Amino acid sequence: MARKVLVLAEIRDNALRNVTFEAIAAAKTVAEGGEVVGMLLSDRASNLASELIAYGADRVVTVEHDQLCHYTADGFGQAFLQVLEAEKPEGIIMGHTALGKDLAPKIAAKMELGLISDATAVEVVDEQVIFTRPIYSGKAFEKNSISDGIVFATIRPNNIPALVKDGTRTGEVSLFNVEIKDLRTIIKEIVRKTSEGVDLSEAKVIVAGGRGVKSADGFEPLKELAKVLGGAVGASRGACDAEYCDYSLQIGQTGKVVTPDLYIACGVSGAIQHLAGMSNSKVIVAINKDPEANIFPIADYGIVGDLFEVVPLLTEEFKKALV
Ligand code: FAD
């Protein structure tokens, strides 16, 4: 059954986030040959629409309004609902990001829709769209479908591969006017805690430090390794609680959930709450002094040793290999 599927594009630092391209790929599956419509909510005209098309969108609706300069649930919610009203899609896909986690349930509640959140895969079986999502902190997976109404889902970054970019694709780009009023939230300033480096939730490589790094300075060799691999630095709650790093780096049940291609855990014991945030990583490397550490059974490669010896050695070897 061909469907029209709307994809909310996420913009950061004037660029589209990767999860947007993954959402378009998911929308293609849901659309079953129907139309995939990208939606850009922003305060200014941009050239991002063509990139959405290059990654698979058939058409793009751009909304420009000065109240859409920064994300607010209020402002984006109002704009989103007006586009929904006009477009009447049969499917909606967005990233399971901070923005998606905030906005999607509000839209679903307002429209009285079902919502499947944090999907890691999508398929169509007998015309029924089925999403896979992790449950019990990633220990099991369940398959969900929406039997009636709009197929609405948020997708976990780094799980559904984006389509290959095709710069020759063309599609209509239209401007849609919205009215935004009575905003209850005004963003005055944004203070970034992690301004440098790769975004943790979208990183393909993560080098994570635990209490075993012993100090804030102990993170330096990890940062060096992450830099060589083009990755991001993450942390266990143990390291955050000990004030070795900021809580924005925390991975786990009460931190970020990540699925990089490569996760290197350094001085992390492997508590169940930490595993909840990273156990679905594609390849896990664990470096720990304790051969009995809980991280080893879930690791693809384990190195029993002192991280302060092992990590610089790895960095040197990767430097040689990657030149
Ligand atoms: P530790 O358990 O102290 O482990 C440190 C490890 O470093 C040890 O295995 C040690 O052998 C190794 N080590 C020490 N020195 C070296 C060295 N030189 N070289 C190599 N290895 C070395 N935790 C999270 O991470 N994320 C969460 O989201 C989270 N949420 C939680 C929610 C709740 C409700 C609760 C109760 C707990 C939560 N925790 C979370 C905390 C979790 O239970 C653990 O306490 C925490 O993950 C431990 O952090 P750690 O592995 O860094 O520290």
Side-chain angles (χ1 to χ4, degrees), residues 209-214 235-241 244 250-256 263 265-278 287-296 303-310:
R211 213 166 353 224
V213 302
K214 294 190 174 63
S236 70
R237 179 154 141 190
C240 301
D241 283 346
Y244 302 161
Q250 186 185 321
I251 290 164
Q253 187 183 316
T254 43
K256 292 195 169 79
Y263 190 92
C266 312
V268 174
S269 60
I272 188 79
Q273 296 89 354
H274 186 77
L275 303 188
M278 45 63 74
I287 304 166
N288 199 303
K289 279 202 308 199
D290 175 7
E292 302 296 324
N294 280 335
I295 193 82
F296 283 128
I303 303 173
V304 179
D306 185 335
L307 72 92
F308 295 105
E309 288 170 25
V310 177

Side-chain angles (χ1 to χ4, degrees), residues 3 29-30 93 96 114-125 127-136 140-148 150-155:
R3 296 179 185 85
T29 304
V30 175
I93 307 284
H96 194 70
L115 169 65
I116 296 172
S117 66
D118 202 15
T120 52
V122 59
E123 62 193 321
V124 178
V125 180
E127 295 201 347
Q128 197 169 29
V129 184
I130 298 173
F131 291 95
T132 304
R133 59 186 298 273
I135 52 171
Y136 306 127
F141 290 87
E142 67 175 12
K143 294 196 178 227
N144 288 161
S145 63
I146 291 176
S147 55
D148 193 19
I150 298 177
V151 177
F152 190 4
T154 60
I155 59 152

